[in-house]
Amino acid sequence: MSNSARTGGTEAFNGISRTRFGKSVESRAQIDDAARQASFTPDDGEALNVYRLVPVAAADDLNWQNSPSQGEVVVAARTAGDARIVAASRELDFMEIDSAPADDVTTINASAFRNDKLYTVIEIEHGRRDLRRGVLEGDIAVNNIRPTQG
C-alpha cells in the first residue's frame, strides 16, 4: 500500500520534493543571518536598540516572591524580547552554584525580567551601531536564588 497521493498533477507524489534546500527566500535569509552572527565582531556595528526595563508591579505583588526586583535596567538588545533575555542573563543561574531548580534545567526562565507582569520594556533609542549587546545601566544583583529550606 502506498502513502502517495495525487495533488492536482498528473503524477502521484513519490515522496521526493521538487524544492531544493536553501533556495527559498526564507532559507537564504536564515543562512545569511547565521553566517553573519557566526562572523560577528564588534567592528561590524550590528544595529541594536536601547531598552529600559522598568518594574511595574507593586512592591507587595505576590509575583515578586519568586524573583526579586532589580530596579530599572537599561540594555542594548535586538528586540524587546531580547532585552528581557539580556537582563536575565546577568542574574545568577542555579548551575553556577550548588543548587537545583524546581521546574526546569535552568533558573533563567524564572527571572523577573522575563515576566511581563513584573517588568515592562520601553524602547528609548533605535538602530544604534556603536553599542555591544548587554546591560548598559543598572545593577543586577546575583542574590536572585533563594533557598526554600532553612
Side-chain angles (χ1 to χ4, degrees), residues 118-136:
L118 297 176
Y119 273 88
T120 190
V121 180
I122 303 166
E123 183 177 325
I124 55 177
E125 290 186 61
H126 187 78
R128 298 263 312 259
R129 294 192 176 274
D130 60 328
L131 299 173
R132 292 195 61 154
R133 185 173 171 261
V135 176
L136 303 176

Side-chain angles (χ1 to χ4, degrees), residues 2-150:
S2 171
N3 287 333
S4 65
R6 294 184 189 265
T7 57
T10 57
E11 298 176 24
F13 179 67
N14 64 1
I16 300 172
S17 172
R18 290 186 295 264
T19 61
R20 295 180 55 202
F21 176 77
K23 299 299 180 187
S24 70
V25 173
E26 292 84 5
S27 292
R28 290 297 331 148
Q30 289 175 345
I31 290 168
D32 292 345
D33 285 348
R36 188 170 33 258
Q37 285 180 345
S39 66
F40 175 76
T41 61
D43 298 332
D44 287 344
E46 177 184 21
L48 296 172
N49 304 319
V50 179
Y51 297 95
R52 175 174 281 119
L53 284 83
V54 181
V56 292
D60 61 348
D61 190 311
L62 295 178
N63 286 305
W64 291 118
Q65 284 181 322
N66 296 331
S67 310
S69 175
Q70 301 281 5
E72 283 193 23
V73 177
V74 177
V75 300
R78 297 177 184 109
T79 64
D82 188 44
R84 291 181 183 276
I85 292 168
V86 167
S89 70
R90 292 285 296 269
E91 291 180 319
L92 182 66
D93 190 17
F94 91 95
M95 293 188 285
E96 299 167 343
I97 63 170
D98 186 19
S99 179
D103 298 322
D104 203 347
V105 294
T106 180
T107 52
I108 196 118
N109 296 324
S111 171
F113 295 117
R114 304 281 303 263
N115 187 336
D116 61 352
K117 292 176 177 67
L118 297 176
Y119 273 88
T120 190
V121 180
I122 303 166
E123 183 177 325
I124 55 177
E125 290 186 61
H126 187 78
R128 298 263 312 259
R129 294 192 176 274
D130 60 328
L131 299 173
R132 292 195 61 154
R133 185 173 171 261
V135 176
L136 303 176
E137 294 177 19
D139 294 321
I140 299 178
V142 293
N143 65 347
N144 56 307
I145 298 176
R146 297 179 179 166
T148 58
Q149 297 178 355

